[in-house]
Amino acid sequence: MVEPLLPPKRKNPLKRTRLPVSPPDIRSRQSHLLTAAAAEGRFGMPGCLECGAVHYPARDACPNCLSSRIGLIACSDRGTLAEATAVEVSNNVYFRERSPWRVGLVTLDAGPGVVAHLHADCVVRGRVKLAWTLDRSGNAVAFATPETPSANMEDDRQIREMTLDPKHRRVLITDGRTALGQAVAKALSAAGAAIVFVGIADPWKPFAGQDRLAAIAGVQIMPLDITDTESVRELADEIGGRVDIVVNTAEHIRPGGLLDRNGVNLAREELDSGYLGLLRLAQAFGPAMKFRGADGVNSACAWVNVFSIYAQMPWPAYGAYSAAQAAMLGASMSLRGELRSGGVRVVHIFTGPTEDEWFQPLPPPKVAHGQIANAVVDALRRGIEEAWVGDVAQDFRERLQQNAKALEREVGQ
Amino acid sequence: MAYAKLPRKGYEGVVLAAPVTIAYRRYSTQSAHGWIGRALRGLVEAAGITRQDIDGFSVSSFTLFPDTAIGLTQHFGLSPRWLDHIPMGGASGVLGLRRAARAVQAGDASIVACVAGDTNYVDSFRKSLSSFSRFAQDAVYPYGSGGPNASFALIASNYMRTYGAERADFGKLAVAQRANALKTPHALMKKPLSLDDYLAARMIADPIALFDCVMPCAGAEAFLVMHEETAKSLNLPYVHLLGAIERHNAHADDPIQHRGGWTVDIDELYAQAGIRPDQLSFVQTYDDYPVISLMQLEDLGLCKKGEAKDFVRANSFTFDGTCPHNTSGGQLSVGQAGCAGGYLGMVEAIRQLTDSALGGQVKDARYGIVSGFGMITYDRGLASAAAILGRA
C-alpha cells in the first residue's frame, strides 16, 4: 500500500531548484500510435488491420501475416506481471535522479509482453491493468497498476511522474467571473489543490457567485485582466513562482459570422481575450513553469486551456468566435511544444455549447459548467492531453475523424 | 507447400588460425577503425602473410558509423574478393566463422580475415544504449534506461524463480572466471574475486549486481579462416571447424526468455561434429551475464533444462578444474569490447586447441565448444549460435 502523500514542506528559497530533465524522448513514428492513444486516455495495442493480430513493440508490418496495414486495435488492458526489477543504476539523468525505478514485464491477456513502469503495489505473478500514459517527455509509456485498485493509488511516486494530479498543487484559474471559472475552482479545491488562485478583472465590480467563490477552501481572489498585459505581468510577478497548474477558462462568446458584423471591433475583442490573452499568460507564467517542471511534489505540471469544439471546425453562425478559438488552439499547440521540454503538459478540453446566456437560443443538449470542471480534474488526474466533454463534443469528434468535409457541411444544421 | 529440406553439409577442410587479441582498454580515444586496423596487422604478422593475401574480409563492429565493411577496404588498402559485415554482437564470432567457412569451401576466398573491434569513448556506451535498436528506443530505454542490466534482471529473476537457481550459482561462475582471468595478461579485472565479494556487491537492477555485469571497453579480436592445405602451406598452427549452427528469434512465444535458439539445432550440431557433449574439453559460453551462461550449459546439452544449478555446483570451471569454462576469464573478467565480445570465446578456443593460451592452458584439450548469443533488441536475446572446434 502506498502511504498517503503529505503536503510538501515550505520551499527554502536559498536552495537551488532542481531543473527538469526529460526521460528518453525519441520514438519511431509507428510507436506514436500509442502516443495518440495516451493523449486521450484510450487503451489498445498495435495490431494488424487485416488479420487482427496484435503485437508489441509497434511494427511496420504484421509479424503474423506481413501486412503493412497497422493500426491501434482495441483489446483487453489486463495481464499478469511476469517479472519485475528495480533499476538502481540508470544511464539517463531523469531516472538517476529518481532511482530506484521499478519496471517489469507484463504479459497481456491479449498476448504481447510489454515492458512497463510499475505502480508500487504491483506484485510479480499478480494481475495488473495496463494503461498508455504520457511521461514527462510527452511520449506514451506503458504503466501497470494493480488490477484491484489499492489505497492512495494516485500518490505512488512513479504514477505522480505521469499524472498531473492537482493534489497539493497550486492552481491559477484565469477568470472567476464566469460560471465556468467558479465551477473549476470548486472542483480543483475538492481535488486537493493547496491554493486556488482565481483571477478577477476589475475586482471592485461585483459579480454573481462572488461570495460562494470566496468561501471555497483554498481560494484566493487575485486581480487579473488577461486583456491587459500589465495586469498579467503584475500577477505573474507576485505568484508566478508558485503556480503549478494554469487553467485558462477565459471565454468571450458572441454570435455572428463574417458578413453580418460591421467592422472588426468585436472580432478584435474576441482575439484579445482568446488568442492574445493566451499569449500574455504564456509569456508571463510560461517560463517560470518550465523552470519548475521537476520542483518536487508541487512541481509545475500542467496548463489547461478550455476550448469550444468550433476551434476545430467553425460554425459559420458563430464564425468570428470560431476563428478566434482556432487562433487560440493553434497558439496552444505551439505552447505545448515549447513547454514539453520542461515537463509541463498542455491539456486541451473541448466542449460543445454550454449553458451560457450567449448560447441561449440553442437547443439542448448543452454542457453544464460542472461537467467541464470535472473533465478538467479528470484530465489532470489521468494525465491526458485531450478531452472532449459531453455528448455533443464526443459526436463532433467522431464526425471530424470520420469525414472532416462532411462535418464542415453539417455544422449548424 | 511441401518441399524437402536439404541435409546440412559438413565443414570438411575448413580451419581457423592466427588468433589475435588487441589488448583491451576501458576507454579509448581511438576509433573502431583504429582497433580493427591493429587487429588486421596482428593477423598479417601472426600468419606471415601480406595484407594483399587477405582476399576475404568479415567485420563485426557496433561503433564503425558511418562506415560499413566496404569503407574499411579502402581505409586499410584491402582488395578482397569476398566481403561481409556482421554487426551482431555476441553472435558475431560464430556467424562470421560460418559464412567465412562456406566462402573458403566454395573457393570464393582463400584467406578470410574475421575481425571484430569496437572502441569505447567515455560516453559511447550510454549513447549506444538509447539507439541500440528501434524496439529498445521505443519500448525499453524509456523505462528506467537501465540498459541490458534491467532487461537481463527480468530474465535472471524468472530463471531463478522457475528453476531454483540462486545468486551463489551465478557467483560460482563469476568467481571461477576471475580466477582464470588472473592468468590472462590483457584481462581488465586484475583483483581476485571471492564468492562473498560477489554476493555483497551493490545491486544494479535486482537480481543483477555489480559482478554480474561486464565492463564495456575498447578492444579487438581476430582470426583467419582458410583451407587446411593453405594453413599447412603457411606453416600455421590451426584447428578444425567440426560443426556450427545458428538460430534467430526462436521460441518467440515464451513469455520470458529461459532458453535460446540452440535447443532447436543442438542435436544436429553434435551429429555434424561427430562428438558427444561429454567429449568436450572446454566450453566457451557468451557470458554477458552468468545467468545466460547457465542457460547455455543447458541448451548446449551439458546438462538438462533447469539443471544447470546442479551442474554448476558439481564442477569447478577453472582452466585446470572440471568443465573448464571461459578459460581466459570471459567478458565478465576480461571486458566486453562490443562485438569483440562475440569473438572472445572463439579466439580463446583456437588458442586452447593449439596449446598457445595466453593465460591458463587446458591440458590435452581436444574438442571445444564456442557459443554466441546476442542482440537483445527488445526483451530477449535474438541470436543464438555455436561452433565445435577440434584439435588438428
Side-chain angles (χ1 to χ4, degrees), chain A residues 32-119:
Chain A
H32 283 310
L33 277 172
L34 305 171
T35 304
E40 298 184 4
R42 286 182 288 126
F43 187 79
M45 290 297 284
C48 178
L49 301 178
E50 276 183 41
C51 77
V54 293
H55 65 250
Y56 188 78
R59 294 169 198 189
D60 287 80
C62 170
N64 185 49
C65 75
L66 295 179
S67 162
S68 54
R69 292 182 51 223
I70 303 296
L72 193 81
I73 293 190
C75 66
S76 164
D77 59 1
R78 304 304 158 105
T80 305
L81 179 58
E83 273 303 340
T85 186
V87 178
E88 308 271 353
V89 179
S90 173
N91 294 282
N92 175 281
V93 176
Y94 175 88
F95 290 113
R96 280 183 102 88
E97 290 176 345
R98 291 159 179 80
S99 72
W101 189 269
R102 204 157 172 258
V103 295
L105 183 67
V106 172
T107 308
L108 278 180
D109 294 348
V114 179
V115 174
H117 298 297
L118 299 183
H119 186 277

Side-chain angles (χ1 to χ4, degrees), chain A residues 186-246:
Chain A
K186 189 174 158 202
L188 282 168
S189 169
I195 303 176
V196 182
F197 298 113
V198 180
I200 298 290
D202 306 326
W204 49 272
K205 279 190 203 163
F207 57 93
Q210 189 168 7
D211 296 341
R212 258 174 300 148
L213 177 64
I216 297 171
V219 161
Q220 295 184 20
I221 306 280
M222 309 302 280
L224 176 64
D225 177 356
I226 64 162
T227 65
D228 175 358
T229 306
E230 270 313 298
S231 162
V232 177
R233 284 254 164 83
E234 274 171 26
L235 184 65
D237 285 348
E238 190 182 341
I239 64 166
R242 291 184 288 147
V243 172
D244 311 319
I245 298 173
V246 168

Side-chain angles (χ1 to χ4, degrees), chain A residues 372-383:
Chain A
I372 301 174
N374 289 340
V376 169
V377 171
D378 179 69
L380 292 171
R381 281 184 172 155
R382 293 164 68 206

Side-chain angles (χ1 to χ4, degrees), chain A residues 24 26-28 31 56 58-60 83 85-86 88-92 95 105 113-115 117 124-125 141-142, chain B residues 126 129 134-135 137-139 141-146 150 153-154 157-158 161 202-206 255-256 378:
Chain A
I26 311 272
R27 299 289 193 281
S28 69
S31 82
Y56 188 78
R59 294 169 198 189
D60 287 80
E83 273 303 340
T85 186
E88 308 271 353
V89 179
S90 173
N91 294 282
N92 175 281
F95 290 113
L105 183 67
V114 179
V115 174
H117 298 297
V124 173
R125 309 279 152 110
V141 287
Chain B
R126 180 178 58 80
L129 288 183
R134 172 162 137 185
F135 286 175
Q137 167 206 288
D138 282 354
Y141 199 63
Y143 298 84
S145 308
L154 300 172
S157 183
N158 175 67
R161 209 182 298 271
R202 74 181 167 124
M203 212 39 100
I204 303 293
D206 188 28
I256 295 195
Y378 175 48

Side-chain angles (χ1 to χ4, degrees), chain B residues 298-349:
Chain B
E298 294 164 354
D299 294 356
L300 296 174
L302 282 106
C303 60
K304 287 191 186 137
K305 192 79 223 168
E307 293 180 3
K309 63 175 196 298
D310 307 310
F311 187 78
V312 166
R313 290 166 196 174
N315 284 285
S316 67
F317 302 105
T318 50
F319 71 92
D320 53 359
T322 61
C323 191
H325 171 248
N326 292 357
T327 44
S328 68
Q331 298 180 87
L332 282 172
S333 282
V334 176
Q336 181 181 59
C339 280
Y343 263 57
L344 184 149
M346 189 70 74
V347 169
E348 172 65 9

Side-chain angles (χ1 to χ4, degrees), chain B residues 4-285:
Chain B
K5 196 173 132 193
L6 295 174
R8 287 177 193 265
K9 287 191 175 144
Y11 290 99
E12 290 77 13
V14 176
V15 302
L16 299 79
V20 166
T21 300
I22 305 301
Y24 296 3
R25 286 184 55 184
R26 176 73 172 103
Y27 294 114
S28 170
T29 55
Q30 193 171 35
S31 72
H33 306 66
W35 286 91
I36 291 166
R38 288 163 66 195
L40 273 170
R41 180 157 180 178
L43 287 176
V44 166
E45 287 174 352
I49 56 175
T50 67
R51 69 173 201 289
Q52 287 88 347
D53 293 321
I54 294 172
D55 61 352
F57 184 32
S58 175
V59 179
S60 294
S61 180
F62 284 136
T63 51
L64 266 184
F65 184 84
D67 278 334
T68 60
I70 183 65
L72 294 187
T73 61
Q74 194 173 33
H75 202 114
F76 300 130
L78 301 177
S79 182
R81 55 183 175 131
W82 181 93
L83 183 66
D84 208 353
H85 186 176
I86 306 177
M88 295 187 204
S92 297
V94 179
L95 267 49
L97 170 61
R98 272 170 62 89
R99 284 147 189 71
R102 293 311 186 193
V104 166
Q105 280 186 321
D108 289 343
S110 299
I111 300 178
V112 181
C114 293
V115 185
D118 269 296
T119 190
N120 189 40
Y121 302 139
V122 171
D123 59 349
S124 57
F125 184 68
R126 180 178 58 80
K127 283 183 177 165
S128 74
L129 288 183
S130 54
S131 57
F132 184 72
S133 70
R134 172 162 137 185
F135 286 175
Q137 167 206 288
D138 282 354
V140 184
Y141 199 63
Y143 298 84
S145 308
N149 294 334
S151 302
F152 282 99
L154 300 172
I155 291 171
S157 183
N158 175 67
Y159 183 90
M160 293 165 79
R161 209 182 298 271
T162 308
Y163 297 118
E166 291 170 12
R167 283 196 61 224
D169 299 320
F170 302 155
K172 182 164 181 186
L173 286 188
V175 167
Q177 288 190 205
R178 181 62 58 88
N180 290 341
L182 294 178
K183 300 249 177 201
T184 304
H186 61 272
L188 289 182
M189 302 299 181
K190 303 285 189 199
K191 276 197 277 184
L193 178 73
S194 72
L195 189 59
D196 287 342
D197 295 335
Y198 171 90
L199 292 172
R202 74 181 167 124
M203 212 39 100
I204 303 293
D206 188 28
I208 298 292
L210 187 63
F211 296 116
D212 290 298
C213 307
V214 295
M215 181 181 278
C217 62
E221 304 265 0
F223 56 89
L224 296 176
V225 179
M226 61 187 74
H227 196 274
E228 184 174 9
E229 295 308 319
T230 315
K232 281 181 178 165
S233 308
L234 293 169
N235 222 357
L236 285 176
Y238 59 85
V239 303
H240 291 285
L241 172 58
L242 300 178
I245 53 169
E246 68 184 79
R247 180 67 66 170
H248 310 290
N249 193 27
H251 311 305
D253 292 333
D254 289 352
I256 295 195
Q257 184 162 45
H258 64 100
R259 55 182 170 165
W262 305 280
T263 54
V264 181
D265 307 284
I266 193 68
D267 293 344
E268 290 188 47
L269 174 66
Y270 285 109
Q272 188 177 46
I275 65 159
R276 300 180 314 270
D278 61 15
Q279 290 175 272
L280 293 168
S281 313
F282 60 82
V283 181
Q284 312 286 352
T285 65

